[in-house]
Amino acid sequence: MITFEEFLKKVDDTFLNHQAARSRGKIKAENQWRYGQTIMNVLWEVWPDKHTEIKGSDIDCFYDNSNVQFTLDKLEKEWAV
C-alpha cells in the first residue's frame, strides 16, 4: 500500500488534472469533481475497505467538503495502523 503522503499527492494530482480538464472544455462544469469527492474516489482506488467504512458516515466528504479535514484526520491516524 502507498503511504499517507503518497495518497495526498495522488489526491492533489487527480484533483488538479480534473480541474485542468474542465478548463480545457474536456468535461462539463456539472461533472467537475469537488476536493472531497476526489479524496473518496482516490481512497476507493487505494484502500476500498476504508472507503466502505467511511462512506455514508458523519465524516464522509464525498458530498460535503466541510468534512474534508475530518476525513483526512481519520485517514492519517489509521493509515499506518
Side-chain angles (χ1 to χ4, degrees):
M1 180 176 343
I2 65 175
T3 66
F4 182 68
E5 290 75 22
E6 291 168 330
F7 168 74
L8 291 177
K9 180 169 180 2
K10 185 171 176 66
V11 168
D12 287 345
D13 290 348
T14 302
F15 182 73
L16 292 174
N17 286 339
H18 209 265
Q19 299 301 309
R22 166 65 183 114
S23 68
R24 291 189 310 268
K26 297 206 181 254
I27 59 172
K28 296 179 181 180
E30 61 269 15
N31 295 329
Q32 185 173 339
W33 287 3
R34 295 171 311 284
Y35 194 70
Q37 183 178 3
T38 306
I39 290 170
M40 293 301 287
N41 287 342
V42 172
L43 184 60
W44 174 254
E45 291 176 24
V46 300
W47 198 0
D49 291 342
K50 187 56 66 178
H51 174 276
T52 301
E53 177 186 324
I54 292 172
K55 182 180 175 186
S57 73
D58 291 343
I59 65 163
D60 184 351
C61 60
F62 187 89
Y63 293 109
D64 187 353
N65 276 344
S66 69
N67 286 332
V68 163
Q69 194 58 55
F70 298 118
T71 303
L72 292 178
D73 288 348
K74 178 177 180 62
L75 290 173
E76 183 175 26
K77 179 180 175 184
E78 297 180 5
W79 203 271
V81 175

